[in-house]
Amino acid sequence: MAYLMLMLYPVLSASSVSMAKAGLTRVRRGGVLGGVLILGLGAVLFVVGLSIFGFALFEVPVSKAVLISQPLNVALTVMFGAVFFKERLNRRRLAGMALILAGMVLVLWKV
């Protein structure tokens, strides 16, 4: 269960970053109330994600927790940017995400 919680943290964190960008875009276009609500929801998701990460640390060593959550956070933020904000996923970014995930698997692999 703790490992599932560690994998949920990057999803919430990446989605909070995406919501922050969407909220700021809406504020710039004049939709202040909607933008502030989106920013607030993003902040709540970020706090929930950090809380889940903290609870997971009771059962998983910190060394493994960081190796699971941080690489996934980077990869998911890039994927959310591509899906929701039409950012380009070129070969270099895809290769970087593949190396992140491969490195995570190699370090955590039990021999």
Side-chain angles (χ1 to χ4, degrees):
M1 181 69 173
Y3 286 99
L4 181 63
M5 291 169 68
L6 284 175
M7 290 182 186
L8 185 62
Y9 162 69
V11 172
L12 293 174
S13 179
S15 62
S16 69
V17 170
S18 298
M19 289 185 132
K21 186 174 180 181
L24 290 175
T25 302
R26 184 167 282 196
V27 168
R28 285 188 196 127
R29 292 183 182 163
V32 176
L33 181 61
V36 169
L37 288 175
I38 293 173
L39 282 169
L41 182 60
V44 167
L45 285 177
F46 185 72
V47 169
V48 169
L50 281 178
S51 299
I52 287 173
F53 183 74
F55 284 122
L57 288 179
F58 284 115
E59 296 184 27
V60 178
V62 174
S63 59
K64 285 187 179 182
V66 170
L67 287 173
I68 292 171
S69 65
Q70 297 308 314
L72 285 178
N73 197 359
V74 172
L76 287 173
T77 302
V78 171
M79 289 172 55
F80 278 147
V83 171
F84 295 114
F85 301 108
K86 307 297 184 229
E87 293 181 4
R88 293 182 45 167
L89 272 181
N90 55 20
R91 290 182 188 158
R92 178 180 280 175
R93 288 185 182 165
L94 289 173
M97 287 188 338
L99 285 172
I100 285 172
L101 295 176
M104 184 178 76
V105 168
L106 283 175
V107 170
L108 295 174
W109 190 275
K110 290 185 179 182
V111 178

